[in-house]
């Protein structure tokens, strides 16, 4: 089945640093999404991307839909303690197909 | 507007038992999906229901089943529990008002049911 390779698996960074994570696939997706999950909660959508090459921001977060449609990137600038959590990428082929998730990047921020 | 509500939050069962988990979607949402989340495998899709019909199914054994009621509420059932079924089970809903599942319809997740099988 379809799989997403998300890296890195975990990151420890200092408060104020920038963060980059990415997601790659052997399959093409027409939608890429980035979610964040806090402990004890379900994932919350951060950014949705619908077009190859698209670059979208949400506050300090910026995500890009790769040109090949097989990858996506998420950057967080000037990290703060509340950025701690697990970040998941997800791909979708069409509206009627389920989301395929990466295994997540666990982010820890050291104050 | 209330979010996606899942009950119970925590559940402990023993091997061989069966369990039923409940999900109430956001009011007005017609599509409900279920995912299994484990530390090793991440989020794995179980099934999606729309208008009381299963629309998509993931690669899980027949012990995992679900249903959707006319008010869009959904339940999933796992029979003959195994130790490996221990996981966080997440329910997610989206509006899907037309039935054509537009790609820009956001999926909203509940907080999940943490199932432990002993």
């Amino acid at each position: 089945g379809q799989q997403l390779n998300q890296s890195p698996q975990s990151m420890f960074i200092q408060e104020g640093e920038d963060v980059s994570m990415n997601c790659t696939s052997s399959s093409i997706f027409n939608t890429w999404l980035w979610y964040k999950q806090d402990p004890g909660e379900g994932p919350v959508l951060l950014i949705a991307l619908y077009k190859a090459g698209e670059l979208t921001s949400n506050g300090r977060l910026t995500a890009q839909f790769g040109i090949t449609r097989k990858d996506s990137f998420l950057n967080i600038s000037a990290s703060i303690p509340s950025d701690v959590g697990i970040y998941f990428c997800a791909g979708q082929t069409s509206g009627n197909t389920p989301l395929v998730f990466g295994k997540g990047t666990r982010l820890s921020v050291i104050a | 507007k209330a979010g996606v509500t899942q009950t119970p939050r925590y559940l402990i069962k023993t091997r061989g038992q069966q369990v039923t988990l409940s999900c109430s979607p956001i009011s007005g949402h017609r599509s409900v999906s279920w995912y299994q989340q484990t530390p090793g495998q991440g989020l794995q899709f179980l099934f999606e229901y729309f208008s009381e019909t299963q629309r998509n199914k993931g690669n899980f054994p027949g012990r995992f089943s679900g249903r959707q009621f006319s008010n869009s509420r959904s339940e999933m059932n796992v029979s003959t529990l195994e130790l490996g079924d221990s996981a966080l089970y997440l329910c997610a809903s989206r509006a899907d008002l037309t039935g054509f599942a537009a790609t820009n319809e956001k999926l909203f997740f509940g907080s999940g049911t943490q199932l432990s099988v002993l």
Side-chain angles (χ1 to χ4, degrees), chain A residues 53-72:
Chain A
E54 181 182 352
L55 188 71
T56 296
S57 292
N58 177 7
R60 294 178 296 105
L61 278 61
T62 302
Q64 183 160 26
F65 190 142
I67 289 289
T68 64
R69 293 194 283 158
K70 292 183 179 182
D71 56 8
S72 180

Side-chain angles (χ1 to χ4, degrees), chain A residues 34-39 41-47 61 74 76 81-88 107:
Chain A
W34 286 91
Y35 285 84
K36 181 188 178 215
Q37 185 175 30
D38 291 326
E41 299 297 329
V44 173
L45 182 65
L46 299 172
I47 292 181
L61 278 61
L74 176 70
I76 305 173
S82 62
D83 290 335
V84 165
I86 304 176
Y87 291 80
F88 290 97
L107 178 64

Side-chain angles (χ1 to χ4, degrees), chain A residues 1-108:
Chain A
Q2 293 172 315
Q3 284 192 324
L4 296 184
N5 298 308
Q6 190 170 348
S7 65
Q9 279 188 325
S10 61
M11 303 180 76
F12 288 84
I13 61 167
Q14 293 275 77
E15 184 177 356
E17 286 185 350
D18 296 344
V19 172
S20 288
M21 58 190 80
N22 69 79
C23 209
T24 60
S25 170
S26 56
S27 307
I28 285 174
F29 287 103
N30 292 311
T31 302
W32 282 93
L33 306 129
W34 286 91
Y35 285 84
K36 181 188 178 215
Q37 185 175 30
D38 291 326
E41 299 297 329
V44 173
L45 182 65
L46 299 172
I47 292 181
L49 302 153
Y50 302 107
K51 205 167 150 186
E54 181 182 352
L55 188 71
T56 296
S57 292
N58 177 7
R60 294 178 296 105
L61 278 61
T62 302
Q64 183 160 26
F65 190 142
I67 289 289
T68 64
R69 293 194 283 158
K70 292 183 179 182
D71 56 8
S72 180
F73 306 88
L74 176 70
N75 294 314
I76 305 173
S77 63
S79 58
I80 59 178
S82 62
D83 290 335
V84 165
I86 304 176
Y87 291 80
F88 290 97
C89 61
Q92 189 176 29
T93 308
S94 72
N96 277 327
T97 58
L99 299 184
V100 178
F101 282 84
K103 293 187 180 179
T105 294
R106 184 179 293 274
L107 178 64
S108 300

Side-chain angles (χ1 to χ4, degrees), chain B:
Chain B
K1 214 179 202 183
V4 178
T5 305
Q6 291 188 247
T7 56
R9 283 298 303 268
Y10 303 94
L11 208 46
I12 299 175
K13 292 284 187 179
T14 54
R15 276 181 300 172
Q17 286 187 310
Q18 68 116 27
V19 67
T20 299
L21 312 181
S22 180
C23 172
S24 292
I26 290 172
S27 178
H29 282 198
R30 300 172 67 192
S31 163
V32 173
S33 299
W34 288 89
Y35 287 81
Q36 180 195 65
Q37 184 177 17
T38 57
Q41 295 300 316
L43 280 87
Q44 302 284 315
F45 173 73
L46 282 155
F47 23 66
E48 181 194 9
Y49 285 87
F50 174 81
S51 197
E52 301 178 66
T53 302
Q54 189 179 86
R55 184 159 64 181
N56 280 304
K57 187 178 187 307
N59 191 24
F60 277 81
R63 300 184 298 106
F64 292 81
S65 62
R67 60 178 175 166
Q68 186 181 33
F69 302 95
S70 57
N71 61 358
S72 294
R73 194 175 69 83
S74 177
E75 287 181 348
M76 68 162 280
N77 186 75
V78 188
S79 62
T80 321
L81 283 165
E82 300 176 359
L83 295 179
D85 296 334
S86 294
L88 180 66
Y89 290 88
L90 291 162
C91 169
S93 74
R94 57 179 171 173
D96 202 357
L97 297 175
T98 64
F100 290 103
T103 55
N104 60 349
E105 287 197 358
K106 295 176 183 177
L107 200 60
F108 294 87
F109 283 85
S111 298
T113 293
Q114 183 68 53
L115 172 65
S116 298
V117 182
L118 306 177

